[in-house]
């Protein structure tokens, strides 16, 4: 029920199981055989007179009916809850199901209208009647019925299935799954209902000034391309959407999601902006609307003119698509994906002189320093601290909460609830408050707080059993010693006896995690049940290397020719600077192994622990407000990754920037490292988050990202240990893969992705002994780690190139069985060069033509590789967008993973040339009809009379050398 309370929950679609409610149980049927065994026919369990269950049922039958009734009762409660929240509700069941007659449904039935349809009208093989009860008229459109049996529409029989893998099963059981067309129309109905209630779908193509938390967009800046399904298209697939509407149902000329092979004339009784739908247009939607009386809904009144609607996606003309692609550019140009406030801070560095920027910062610091010393604010701070619980007074004693609040108000911060969260304390349980500053993402709780209370004794017993020695005496002693130190600092209370704990109470498990020479204390609140109660509607994203890269690209553009330095500021014991909410202290106990007594010792957490799910949300919410003050108030070009703030400054402004950051932290009372190894100085090399950012060539428009030497050494040691042991468990494989993945992201080129693919296989298989391929892959990664080039970011990528490639495979053609085509376009949309050639029989054999029906995948991938090699002189160190009309090739190029031998061989060639050139490639889809390379791939050169053709046959022979 808590899921329904999420602001992201628009409604529900429910299809309660109908096995006990089916009227098919009343249909006489001859005895049959089910999979070779005697088939006992199902008995009726309900009737019109007894919809909640017939008298005289056997014990097993009563249990089945009772379980179903409990579910129906729960569904009625859920529906009433949804109706109270004015959410969308749709419920589906067979038309003759006794479910509709149960008292459970009757308690809510007056809130609904009903629409019936037949499954065969949506592609099923049987004419099953189903009813959908709904509270929004968008679902009234789901009304197709059987068009009548014909050669093209044949029904499968009911009863027992006599043949095939489902032999012996009842046909009704095979009709429970929705046909894809029905599922699509249900989804469309939900979308229309949501739109009618004010929801607006997000803009699909790339758009500037997106939220900084949109990590998919930000990764594009550093050349990291996510899966195609996660990234918005640079150019929409269709030039336009053409609607055909009619008062009379009309048969669609092709199935949904297929394309027209010739223009389709719009019937004279239908309305459309064009007299005919163009060739190659795709039928996106065919929506029949059967009006059954109306319900007074304005939405329905708007649709009264039409009862049938066809939506067509009209493709771009190839020349037009090229221009759209050039306009869209390359994602590395999109440093404007930074939020508007950070973009404005960067612009301030361009607009203001050094003296003006220094003056602005001094004025701001002076204003708030003077304000902090006023009697009024001191009184407010004193009163606020006096209202805090005793443990919070200790932990927050240095915080200037009233001053911080006024700063945020003065700068018009959009999440003032963050102040209440800090004052009231971080909760460990329950729903995370909605802030509207992080991207929306619903993550449901596993169980409720009440459930955790009821099971608290069992959960405590589990934790105490798991609290045992790590097997390392020194580690056990260090963890316990640090725990006692935390008691002295007021972060913990204890140790205490188990019998002294309140009832209920929850206990987490404390253990130590070795991180190089240091040991981090982890408080596992998952095993204790606390984390399972957490429900969130947002997903805060710390600002990692991608944000740092975006800031640097922006700075290179606003400070051309300047020298820049950077520094990381590290908050001291960051989580411990926040207090736990007093109301959740009953769930804030931890059990730590005591090496002296050889048994668990129990402590109570007072400060926020590392290992609590809610702590992450709370901490990121608070530090984001600090980051905001720095950006807006002091014009700091900085990022915030958990407790690490990374800031950049012109060499001549380093003192001003350092003074501004230091003043901000001290004014609001946040402790940061001012000495020791974590206290860095401004430098042309910045180390943070396990990466090293080299700024020595910043003035020449280049920045280098690499792994730190420590990370390289740690990862090298881990790989060496793995190679020595020859075995990897699934958990070890996942840890290794994660570390390899992070390190790989900082090494230029993606050839090492082939190594990652082998490690991923080990993880997927559940862990096993290393085979030859995995061993070779790990050794190869070691080589990349030590010799791989750093990732290069450049501001000189505003003029990208565009590659369009294609292939055709028509094996019956005597002269052009397999053709390749490629076109090179510059940033002005000018076609510079193209190639057009046909593969020989021998070359096709190397791609697998003798063992496969089609080699179109291999040919399309080869065309892309040929283009990269042929135009390597202009692509070197440049940005390039590659448009491909084969989804499999695009996905393989993005992921760096292929399955068959030819694909793996070709992919290695692609990644080799990409790495050698230092090209920042981005792979996109273009529809075949819009792909200008389709013409040369078929030897159709009519658009290329004024374009230079280049020879590629020797290059193809070189690429395919060693195949077969």
């Amino acid at each position: 029920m808590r899921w329904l309370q999420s602001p992201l929950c628009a409604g529900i679609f429910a299809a309660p199981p109908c096995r006990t409610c089916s009227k098919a149980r009343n249909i006489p049927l001859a005895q049959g055989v089910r999979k070779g065994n005697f088939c006992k026919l199902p008995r009726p369990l309900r009737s019109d007179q007894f919809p909640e269950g017939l008298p005289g049922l056997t014990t097993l039958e009563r249990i089945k009916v009772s379980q179903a009734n409990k579910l129906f009762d729960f569904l009625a409660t859920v529906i009433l809850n949804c109706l109270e929240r004015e959410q969308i509700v749709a419920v589906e069941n067979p038309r003759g199901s006794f479910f509709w007659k149960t008292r459970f449904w009757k308690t809510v039935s007056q809130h609904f209208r009903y629409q019936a349809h037949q499954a065969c009208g949506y592609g099923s093989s049987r004419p099953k009647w189903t009813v959908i009860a709904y509270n929004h008229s968008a679902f009234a459109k789901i009304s197709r019925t059987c068009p009548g049996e014909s050669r093209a529409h044949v029904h499968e029989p009911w009863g027992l299935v006599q043949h095939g893998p489902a032999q012996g099963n009842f046909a009704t059981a095979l009709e429970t799954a929705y046909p894809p067309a029905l599922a699509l129309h249900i989804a469309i109905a939900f979308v229309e209902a949501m739109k009618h209630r004010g929801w607006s779908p997000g803009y699909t193509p790339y758009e500037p000034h997106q939220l900084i938390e949109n990590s998919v967009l930000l990764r594009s800046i550093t050349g990291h391309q996510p899966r195609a399904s996660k990234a918005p298209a640079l150019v929409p697939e269709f030039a336009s959407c053409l609607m055909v509407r009619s008062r009379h149902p009309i048969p669609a000329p092709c199935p949904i999601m297929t394309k027209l092979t010739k223009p389709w004339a719009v019937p004279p009784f239908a309305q459309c902006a064009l007299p005919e739908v163009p060739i190659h247009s795709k039928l996106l939607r065919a929506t029949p609307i059967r009006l059954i009386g109306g319900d007074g809904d304005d939405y329905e009144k708007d649709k009264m003119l039409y009862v049938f609607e066809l939506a067509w996606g009209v493709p771009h003309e190839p020349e037009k698509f090229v221009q759209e692609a050039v306009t869209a550019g390359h994602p590395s140009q999109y440093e404007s994906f930074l939020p508007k406030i950070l973009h404005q801070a960067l612009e301030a560095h361009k607009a203001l002189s050094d003296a003006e920027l220094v003056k602005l910062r001094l004025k701001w610091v002076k204003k708030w320093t003077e304000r902090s010393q006023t009697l009024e604010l001191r009184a407010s701070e004193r009163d606020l601290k006096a209202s805090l619980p005793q443990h919070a007074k200790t932990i927050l004693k240095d915080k200037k909460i009233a001053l911080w609040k006024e700063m945020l108000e003065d700068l018009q911060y959009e999440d003032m609830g963050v102040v209440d969260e800090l004052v009231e304390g971080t909760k460990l349980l329950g729903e995370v408050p909605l802030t509207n500053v992080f991207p929306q993402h619903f993550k449901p709780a596993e169980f409720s707080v009440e459930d955790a209370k009821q099971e608290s004794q069992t959960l405590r017993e589990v934790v105490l059993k798991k609290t045992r020695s790590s097997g390392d005496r020194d580690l056990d002693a260090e963890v316990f010693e640090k725990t006692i130190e935390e008691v002295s600092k007021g972060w913990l209370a204890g140790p205490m006896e188990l019998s002294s704990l309140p009832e209920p109470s929850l206990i987490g498990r404390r253990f130590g995690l070795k991180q190089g020479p240091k040991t981090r204390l982890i408080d596992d609140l998952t095993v204790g049940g606390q984390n399972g109660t957490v429900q969130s509607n947002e997903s805060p994203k710390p600002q990692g290397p991608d944000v740092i890269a975006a800031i640097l690209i922006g700075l290179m553009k606003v400070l051309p020719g300047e020298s820049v330095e950077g520094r990381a500021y590290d908050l001291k014991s960051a989580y411990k600077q926040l207090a736990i909410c007093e109301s959740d202290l009953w769930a804030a106990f931890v059990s730590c192994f005591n090496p002296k007594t050889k048994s668990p010792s129990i402590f109570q957490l007072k400060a926020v622990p590392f290992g609590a799910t809610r702590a992450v949300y709370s901490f990121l919410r608070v530090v984001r407000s600090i980051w905001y003050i720095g950006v807006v108030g002091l014009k700091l070009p900085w990022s915030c990754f958990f407790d690490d703030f990374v800031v950049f400054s012109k060499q001549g402004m380093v003192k001003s920037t350092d003074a501004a950051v230091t003043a901000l932290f001290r004014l609001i009372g946040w402790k940061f490292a001012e000495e020791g190894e974590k206290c860095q100085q401004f430098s042309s090399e910045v180390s943070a988050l396990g990466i090293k950012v080299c700024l020595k060539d910043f003035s020449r428009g280049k920045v280098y990202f690499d792994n730190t030497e420590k990370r390289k050494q740690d990862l090298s040691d881990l790989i060496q240990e793995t190679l020595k042991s020859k075995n990897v468990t699934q958990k070890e494989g996942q840890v290794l893969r994660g570390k390899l993945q992070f390190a790989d992201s900082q090494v230029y080129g993606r050839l090492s992705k082939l190594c990652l693919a082998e490690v991923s296989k080990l993880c997927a298989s559940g862990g096993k002994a290393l085979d030859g391929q995995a061993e070779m892959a790990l050794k190869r990664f070691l080589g990349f780690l030590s010799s791989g080039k750093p990732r290069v970011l450049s501001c000189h990528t505003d003029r990208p190139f565009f590659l369009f490639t294609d292939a055709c495979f028509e094996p019956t053609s005597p002269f052009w069985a397999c053709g390749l085509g490629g076109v090179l376009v510059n940033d002005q949309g000018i076609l510079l060069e193209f190639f057009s050639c046909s593969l020989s029989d021998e070359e096709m054999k190397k791609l697998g033509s003798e063992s496969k029906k089609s080699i179109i995948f291999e040919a399309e991938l080869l065309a892309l590789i040929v283009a990269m090699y042929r135009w390597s002189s202009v692509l070197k160190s440049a940005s390039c967008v590659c448009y491909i009309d084969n989804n499999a090739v695009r996905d393989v190029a993005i992921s760096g993973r292929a399955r068959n031998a030819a694909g793996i061989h070709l992919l290695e060639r692609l990644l080799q040339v990409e790495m050698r050139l230092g090209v920042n490639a981005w792979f996109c889809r273009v529809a075949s009809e819009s792909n200008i390379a389709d013409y040369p791939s078929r030897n159709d050169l009519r658009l290329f009379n004024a374009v230079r053709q280049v020879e590629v046959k020797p290059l193809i022979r070189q690429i395919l050398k060693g195949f077969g």
Side-chain angles (χ1 to χ4, degrees), residues 120-164:
C120 65
Y122 291 93
S124 182
S125 58
R126 294 180 178 85
K128 176 187 175 184
W129 279 99
T130 300
V131 167
I132 294 180
Y134 59 87
N135 68 342
H136 194 284
S137 54
F139 290 90
K141 301 176 186 179
I142 304 174
S143 58
R144 287 186 189 174
T145 56
C146 179
E149 287 201 83
S150 64
R151 279 183 168 182
H153 189 90
V154 179
H155 292 159
E156 294 284 341
W158 291 107
L160 280 170
V161 179
Q162 300 298 323
H163 306 285

Side-chain angles (χ1 to χ4, degrees), residues 545-809:
D546 307 315
V547 178
I548 294 174
I551 292 171
L552 288 170
I553 289 177
L555 280 174
M556 282 190 280
K557 291 182 178 180
V558 299
L559 300 175
E562 296 281 357
S563 294
V564 165
E565 294 184 349
R567 175 189 167 174
Y569 291 82
D570 183 79
L571 297 180
K572 290 181 66 176
S573 305
Y575 276 41
K576 304 306 179 188
Q577 296 193 48
L578 297 174
I580 293 175
C581 180
E582 187 175 29
S583 64
D584 279 5
L585 288 176
W586 67 271
F589 295 94
V590 289
S591 173
C592 178
F593 179 75
N594 186 332
K596 293 182 179 179
T597 63
K598 309 296 183 184
S599 63
S601 288
I602 299 173
F603 299 83
Q604 186 176 37
L605 297 165
K606 302 292 185 177
V608 170
F610 190 86
T613 299
R614 282 281 313 249
V616 177
Y617 290 93
S618 182
F619 182 77
L620 289 178
R621 185 184 188 187
V622 172
V623 294
R624 187 188 187 277
S625 73
I626 301 173
W627 167 83
Y628 179 94
I629 294 171
V631 172
V632 179
L634 295 165
K635 306 304 177 188
L636 294 172
W638 69 345
S639 67
C640 173
F641 185 88
F642 289 101
D643 55 352
D644 285 314
F645 288 78
V646 180
V647 67
F648 300 96
S649 174
K650 286 170 62 175
Q651 276 187 346
M653 292 285 290
V654 163
K655 287 185 178 179
S656 166
T657 304
D658 182 48
V661 174
T662 301
L664 172 58
F665 285 140
R666 288 177 178 172
L667 275 170
I668 59 178
W670 277 80
K671 298 175 184 177
F672 65 99
E674 299 189 62
E675 58 183 13
E677 63 176 22
K678 288 194 174 183
C679 178
Q680 300 181 10
Q681 300 302 316
F682 274 90
S683 169
S684 59
E685 276 198 1
V686 184
S687 294
L689 323 181
I691 62 169
K692 179 174 62 180
V693 182
C694 180
L695 305 169
K696 65 179 182 179
D697 290 336
F698 185 95
S699 60
R700 293 190 287 173
K702 288 186 178 180
V703 173
Y704 306 95
F705 275 57
D706 201 356
N707 296 289
T708 61
E709 294 305 317
K710 180 179 181 301
R711 181 178 289 275
K712 287 181 182 180
Q713 188 59 53
D714 290 346
L715 187 52
S716 176
D717 292 344
L718 180 60
I719 294 174
Q720 296 283 12
E721 289 175 15
T722 303
L723 289 170
K724 187 176 180 180
S725 69
K726 299 287 186 180
N727 284 282
V728 180
T729 66
Q730 186 175 35
K731 186 175 180 180
E732 290 170 342
Q734 289 170 344
V735 171
L736 176 60
R737 183 181 183 278
K739 292 188 176 183
L740 290 173
Q741 204 163 28
F742 188 91
D744 171 64
S745 69
Q746 310 313 327
V747 177
Y748 193 83
R750 301 180 305 129
L751 194 55
S752 51
K753 284 190 179 297
L754 295 177
C755 308
L756 276 171
E758 290 299 323
V759 178
S760 297
K761 286 181 187 177
L762 285 174
C763 297
S765 65
K768 59 181 181 180
L770 294 179
D771 57 23
Q773 283 186 314
E775 190 172 342
M776 183 176 67
L778 288 173
K779 289 179 179 177
R780 194 177 194 179
F781 199 100
L782 276 176
F784 280 121
L785 199 60
S786 59
S787 62
K789 298 178 181 178
R791 184 169 294 279
V792 182
L793 297 182
S794 173
C795 68
H796 305 305
T797 56
D798 286 341
R799 303 181 65 182
F801 290 92
F802 303 87
L803 292 185
F804 290 82
T805 58
D806 201 4
C808 71
F809 182 62

Side-chain angles (χ1 to χ4, degrees), residues 13-14 89-95 100 105 112-117 130-135 139-140 142-143 178 182 185-186 189:
F13 184 91
V89 179
V91 181
E92 173 270 315
N93 234 239
R95 184 175 64 175
W100 301 114
W105 179 252
F112 293 89
R113 289 184 170 274
Y114 302 84
Q115 179 62 65
H117 66 269
T130 300
V131 167
I132 294 180
Y134 59 87
N135 68 342
F139 290 90
I142 304 174
S143 58
Y178 296 156
L182 176 59
H185 281 77
I186 291 171

Side-chain angles (χ1 to χ4, degrees), residues 322 802-806 821-825 830-835 867 871 931-934 936 944 947:
V322 169
F802 303 87
L803 292 185
F804 290 82
T805 58
D806 201 4
V823 182
L824 175 66
V825 180
I830 298 172
L831 278 58
L832 300 178
E833 294 179 345
F834 78 97
F835 64 80
W871 290 307
N931 189 357
I932 199 165
D934 180 70
F944 299 89
V947 185

Side-chain angles (χ1 to χ4, degrees), residues 250-441:
I250 52 177
C254 63
I256 292 176
M257 302 309 289
T258 61
K259 300 175 182 178
L260 291 173
T261 56
K262 60 182 180 179
W264 178 65
V266 177
F269 54 81
Q271 292 191 7
C272 182
L274 299 176
E276 66 178 21
V277 180
I279 187 172
H280 303 312
S281 295
K282 180 183 282 189
L283 181 57
L284 304 176
R285 186 175 74 248
T287 311
I289 306 169
R290 186 199 300 172
L291 302 181
I292 53 171
D295 55 7
D297 195 327
D298 290 339
Y299 170 82
E300 196 63 65
K301 289 177 182 177
D302 292 340
K303 297 289 184 180
M304 289 294 288
L305 289 175
Y306 308 107
V307 294
F308 203 88
E309 182 178 84
L310 300 181
W312 295 92
V314 181
H316 298 269
E317 292 296 325
E319 299 92 330
K320 179 64 175 174
F321 189 94
V322 169
Q323 296 307 316
E324 293 288 338
V326 170
T327 301
H330 187 286
S332 65
Q333 299 169 280
Y334 286 77
E335 78 280 352
S336 55
F337 285 144
L338 291 171
K340 196 170 185 178
I341 59 166
L342 194 44
H343 195 72
Q344 289 170 343
L346 294 177
E347 287 298 320
H349 286 255
K350 178 180 180 181
L352 301 177
S353 67
D354 290 0
E356 289 171 330
L357 189 55
V358 169
K359 185 177 180 181
L360 180 150
R361 289 172 174 171
L362 286 172
K363 182 179 178 181
W364 191 92
V365 171
K366 181 182 178 183
K367 169 186 172 179
W368 292 106
T369 301
E370 291 176 350
R371 177 59 181 158
S372 69
Q373 294 170 354
T374 62
L375 294 175
E376 176 192 358
L377 197 71
R378 287 184 175 183
S380 296
E381 191 72 45
R382 187 170 55 251
D383 293 344
L384 193 154
K385 295 281 179 60
S387 68
L388 298 175
Q390 187 57 49
H391 75 285
K393 288 178 183 177
T394 302
I395 294 167
L396 302 178
K397 64 180 180 180
D398 295 324
K399 298 288 180 289
K400 303 298 186 291
I401 302 171
L403 182 69
W404 170 55
K405 179 181 179 181
E406 285 196 10
M407 287 180 179
L408 293 173
E409 289 174 337
D410 182 65
L411 298 174
Q412 299 180 338
Y413 189 55
E414 62 268 51
D415 176 30
M416 290 306 299
V418 67
V419 178
D420 295 330
E421 176 139 4
L422 185 137
V423 171
E424 295 171 6
T426 296
K427 286 183 170 291
L428 302 179
L429 312 168
E431 185 153 10
V432 180
L434 192 65
T435 68
N436 294 316
V437 296
F438 296 121
Q440 293 185 342
H441 178 76

